[in-house]
Amino acid sequence: MMIDMMAAGLRKIAGHGSPATTQRYLHPDLRSITEAGRSLSARLSPAPGLPQPPGTTRRVL
């Protein structure tokens, strides 16, 4: 799951030995999760008017 991957990255950056330590600092609510998804979708979407390279497809989450 995406949140698990994010937590693993944050754990490594913070230098925590245990995932439980990192999880104490993570308190995502529905609004922040939704906004993060929208931000990621916008980042992964091609700019309007620019052609996509052949063979590429992108999903909007």
Side-chain angles (χ1 to χ4, degrees):
M1 188 172 224
M2 178 69 119
I3 296 215
D4 293 334
M5 291 187 318
M6 290 173 49
L10 290 172
R11 180 176 67 87
K12 192 171 192 174
I13 290 168
H16 297 155
S18 168
T21 303
T22 307
Q23 288 174 348
R24 286 189 285 173
Y25 297 97
L26 301 176
H27 304 285
D29 59 9
L30 182 57
R31 182 173 163 239
S32 64
I33 292 170
T34 302
E35 285 188 27
R38 286 184 185 145
S39 178
L40 179 61
S41 291
R43 177 82 172 134
L44 296 177
S45 297
L50 293 178
Q52 287 188 331
T56 60
T57 57
R58 298 193 181 207
R59 289 188 296 155
V60 175
L61 303 173

